[in-house]
């Protein structure tokens, strides 16, 4: 009988650590999420993505990414479809689905997440995403921001 991916002898295996990260994110269990990321984690959101940039520390990721996604999107789901493991590196192919709160538009876009796991902790994350699909769901908001009109529209509500 094969060992469970979360059995004690394999709990620190890179794929098991990454899987716990997705489970914690999906359930909003930030305490569990903190147990699988390093204190000095480097978290890179792709250029073109609304939250593009590099975040450091678990608190930085929570406030800069997770809380911002929750504020801007309803029903955000990261579907972790396929895992490719090479030593400490784990690449997850999947997709995001959500509904933008400002526009009411739904999206479903392909993503690849690249993790490095050392000592049972995620030390690095890099996102590759179809940012055009994300922007399409945010179209009205992006157009207003790019034209400098967001302030006047927001003030008229």
């Amino acid at each position: 009988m094969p060992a469970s991916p979360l059995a004690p002898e394999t709990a620190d295996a890179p794929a098991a650590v990454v899987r716990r990260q997705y489970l914690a994110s999906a359930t909003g269990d930030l305490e569990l999420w903190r147990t699988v990321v390093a204190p000095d984690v480097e978290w890179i959101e792709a250029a073109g993505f609304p939250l593009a940039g590099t975040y450091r520390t678990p608190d930085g990721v929570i406030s800069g990414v997770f809380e911002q996604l929750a504020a801007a999107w309803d029903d955000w789901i990261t579907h972790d479809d396929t895992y490719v493991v090479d030593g400490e590196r784990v690449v997850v192919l999947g997709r995001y689905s959500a509904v933008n709160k400002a526009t009411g538009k739904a999206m479903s876009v392909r993503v690849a997440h690249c993790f490095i796991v050392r000592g049972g902790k995620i030390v690095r994350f890099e996102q590759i995403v179809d940012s055009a699909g994300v922007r399409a769901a945010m179209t009205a908001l992006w157009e207003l921001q790019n034209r400098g009109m967001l302030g006047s529209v927001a003030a008229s509500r």
Side-chain angles (χ1 to χ4, degrees):
M1 182 163 148
S4 161
L6 301 180
E9 66 274 9
T10 62
D12 286 344
V17 171
V18 169
R19 179 71 180 138
R20 282 197 307 278
Q21 182 275 153
Y22 284 114
L23 292 171
S25 295
T27 61
D29 187 344
L30 296 180
E31 290 312 308
L32 175 59
W33 185 83
R34 287 175 188 279
T35 69
V36 297
V37 295
D40 59 347
V41 66
E42 179 181 46
W43 194 275
I44 303 167
E45 297 286 316
F49 190 69
L51 304 173
T54 299
Y55 302 85
R56 298 182 194 283
T57 77
D59 287 338
V61 175
I62 289 168
S63 64
V65 179
F66 296 159
E67 290 176 358
Q68 300 307 311
L69 290 174
W73 300 89
D74 283 324
D75 305 318
W76 184 277
I77 299 173
T78 301
H79 306 268
D80 54 329
D81 300 330
T82 304
Y83 285 61
V84 180
V85 181
D86 181 19
E88 67 183 10
R89 298 179 185 278
V90 180
V91 175
V92 179
L93 306 176
R95 62 189 165 85
Y96 295 147
S97 62
V99 176
N100 185 265
K101 290 181 180 182
T103 66
K105 292 182 180 180
M107 65 130 183
S108 179
V109 299
R110 298 294 298 162
V111 298
H113 290 165
C114 306
F115 295 89
I116 297 177
V117 179
R118 291 189 186 123
K121 302 281 186 185
I122 296 167
V123 297
R124 188 169 192 275
F125 164 89
E126 184 173 358
Q127 172 201 57
I128 300 164
V129 62
D130 172 11
S131 57
V134 176
R135 287 184 182 198
M138 301 175 73
T139 299
L141 182 61
W142 278 95
E143 288 174 0
L144 293 173
Q145 285 177 331
N146 289 335
R147 293 182 186 160
M149 298 170 57
L150 187 58
S152 62
V153 171
S156 67
R157 289 186 188 178

